[in-house]
Amino acid sequence: PEYRLGTSNHPKIAKLSQMLASLYSKQDKLDKAEGFVRKALRIMLGYGARQEEVAKVRYELGILLREQGKLREALEEHNHALRIRCSLPSLDPHEVAESHIGVGNVFLTLQKPDETFAHFEEAYNMIPTDSPYSAKIRLCIVNAAQQLDTDNSLSLALCERVVGDFDRENGTLAVDGETRALAKLVLASIYIKRNVRFQDAGRMLDSGLQIVREIYPRRHAREGDFLACIGDLYFRQGKHGDALAAFRKAEKVFRQTIGVCASNTINAMFQAGRALLAQGKFSMAATKFEEAVAIRRGIVTDGGDAHATHLLGRDLFSLAVCRQEAGDLSGAVACLRECRGLSGIPERLSSECAAMLAELGVDR
């Protein structure tokens, strides 16, 4: 028999709507996919589908809504699915964990670390560490810690737990090495930014870099990430020569893998400039800062976002400091004026520029 999508409450129509939603989702036609998921949900509620089936559809709807930036609605659907799954007599820990991840991902998009990591912790606690799904949750935790770049204490505790679980398993869980290496990189970065446990950070970076080089026989951008982080560790320890060597290696890897205009490549140039400046090598530092500024200026001119503008301002200010130290006062003033002329730079950076201009005897 044939069923009309607009009028029938038959389960087969709900199933067909879900199939069409999946098809449109794969084609990135998310609004159409959302429409068919909503149709499936209405039909299922109409004929009294099992609650676990309703929860699954609400979870899928939450994903589609988050991908479209409809975050309030996404949070409602994920929370609804979570409540249903928690209330079922035969609770499925994997499905409950999946819903916690769904809610956590919405909070991640909203840049709310407390809520993000609280839900990820709930998910992590529900699944045995030897389960393949545990590896997926670990990756969510590590990616969130990297994206949010926060001092959140739960973020640190979860990353330590993830790395500790990986080390204890010693390869018994079938997890790709990239995830293991990334976990070490993120936790080491957190330690370095907090100026704590430098020795542990160094060990994790060394072992993570070894994993990356074993996974990728040819150069890979992840190797550059590790080298840049090693450079940051050396810099914070006052080992500016070692830091410079690491930043130069990172820049070389990034140039070969992701190109000269990539943000990581430019950041490696900037950090190399800082290391040279710390050693009093003003001319060489200025050359690195000038290279970074030239590339960032082109990105901003071509329509870069507010973050790119902020980084250009930061680089210009560093170049101004470098030129001042080298005795090129007119060059320093030119950099400071260009920095202050950028639209949307942070107030603190604008104030630093104004203070330095005043120090140089220039009002504006």
Side-chain angles (χ1 to χ4, degrees):
E2 293 184 359
Y3 304 98
R4 296 177 60 194
L5 284 177
T7 60
S8 176
N9 277 351
H10 197 286
K12 289 186 178 179
I13 302 302
K15 183 65 175 177
L16 179 58
S17 295
Q18 287 179 271
M19 292 171 63
L20 287 169
S22 177
L23 178 63
Y24 281 122
S25 179
K26 291 176 181 176
Q27 296 174 350
D28 286 330
K29 297 177 180 178
L30 301 183
D31 55 338
K32 289 189 176 182
E34 178 193 339
F36 278 108
V37 172
R38 289 190 183 279
K39 183 183 289 290
L41 183 59
R42 286 196 300 271
I43 293 171
M44 294 170 74
L45 294 174
Y47 71 75
R50 292 186 303 163
Q51 284 298 291
E52 52 262 49
E53 294 175 351
V54 172
K56 184 175 186 298
V57 173
R58 287 195 180 278
Y59 169 79
E60 291 171 351
L61 179 56
I63 291 176
L64 284 170
L65 290 167
R66 184 177 73 90
E67 289 176 345
Q68 295 177 84
K70 301 175 182 179
L71 302 181
R72 182 184 61 79
E73 296 174 78
L75 193 58
E76 288 178 1
E77 293 299 335
H78 278 304
N79 274 322
H80 203 149
L82 178 59
R83 287 194 297 271
I84 293 173
R85 286 171 165 175
C86 287
S87 67
L88 293 173
S90 55
L91 184 145
D92 185 330
H94 284 81
E95 290 188 351
V96 175
E98 180 182 63
S99 279
H100 275 298
I101 292 296
V103 176
N105 279 331
V106 177
F107 281 124
L108 173 59
T109 307
L110 290 167
Q111 298 285 294
K112 293 189 175 182
D114 291 346
E115 295 87 345
T116 298
F117 292 111
H119 280 281
F120 286 174
E121 183 182 35
E122 289 287 346
Y124 202 12
N125 289 341
M126 298 200 73
I127 305 298
T129 56
D130 60 353
S131 166
Y133 196 70
S134 176
K136 179 179 178 181
I137 297 171
R138 295 179 199 187
L139 184 58
C140 288
I141 291 169
V142 170
N143 282 334
Q146 188 176 42
Q147 289 179 48
L148 291 174
D149 190 20
T150 175
D151 287 335
N152 182 276
S153 58
L154 183 54
S155 165
L156 172 60
L158 285 174
C159 285
E160 288 177 331
R161 183 175 161 191
V162 166
V163 171
D165 285 345
F166 276 145
D167 288 344
R168 278 188 293 275
E169 286 153 6
N170 195 26
T172 58
L173 184 63
V175 180
D176 67 282
E178 171 71 14
T179 303
R180 294 175 183 274
L182 180 61
K184 291 175 181 289
L185 175 65
V186 171
L187 181 54
S189 298
I190 293 173
Y191 285 155
I192 293 168
K193 286 171 184 173
R194 293 188 175 200
N195 287 310
V196 298
R197 300 182 66 171
F198 284 164
Q199 190 172 3
D200 290 336
R203 281 197 294 264
M204 282 187 284
L205 291 171
D206 288 341
S207 62
L209 181 58
Q210 182 179 352
I211 293 171
V212 169
R213 285 173 171 166
E214 288 173 356
I215 298 171
Y216 304 108
R218 296 184 178 181
R219 283 282 168 82
H220 190 276
R222 184 65 75 201
E223 180 181 355
D225 294 334
F226 272 92
L227 289 167
C229 196
I230 290 169
D232 193 17
L233 174 61
Y234 282 138
F235 190 90
R236 288 175 185 252
Q237 292 175 309
K239 301 175 182 178
H240 300 130
D242 292 332
L244 176 61
F247 289 135
R248 280 175 167 166
K249 289 178 183 177
E251 180 187 343
K252 182 178 180 181
V253 171
F254 288 139
R255 282 177 179 270
Q256 292 174 346
T257 55
I258 55 179
V260 68
C261 293
S263 179
N264 285 357
T265 311
I266 308 170
N267 283 336
M269 294 177 196
F270 173 79
Q271 297 297 347
R274 286 182 66 219
L276 287 163
L277 185 60
Q279 296 177 78
K281 300 176 180 179
F282 304 125
S283 177
M284 295 174 67
T287 299
K288 294 307 294 184
F289 288 139
E290 285 165 359
E291 188 176 7
V293 163
I295 299 171
R296 286 209 200 277
R297 190 184 285 126
I299 293 171
V300 171
T301 302
D302 290 340
D305 58 15
H307 183 61
T309 303
H310 175 199
L311 292 175
L312 173 58
R314 179 200 67 176
D315 293 357
L316 282 165
F317 183 81
S318 296
L319 179 56
V321 171
C322 197
R323 285 178 170 171
Q324 180 192 29
E325 293 289 345
D328 180 8
L329 301 187
S330 61
V333 169
C335 289
L336 293 169
R337 283 177 169 165
E338 182 180 352
C339 180
R340 292 200 74 193
L342 294 173
S343 175
I345 63 170
E347 183 62 33
R348 179 179 175 182
L349 180 58
S350 180
S351 298
E352 288 175 342
C353 287
M356 190 170 172
L357 282 168
E359 181 184 334
L360 294 171
V362 180
D363 293 333
R364 297 178 61 186

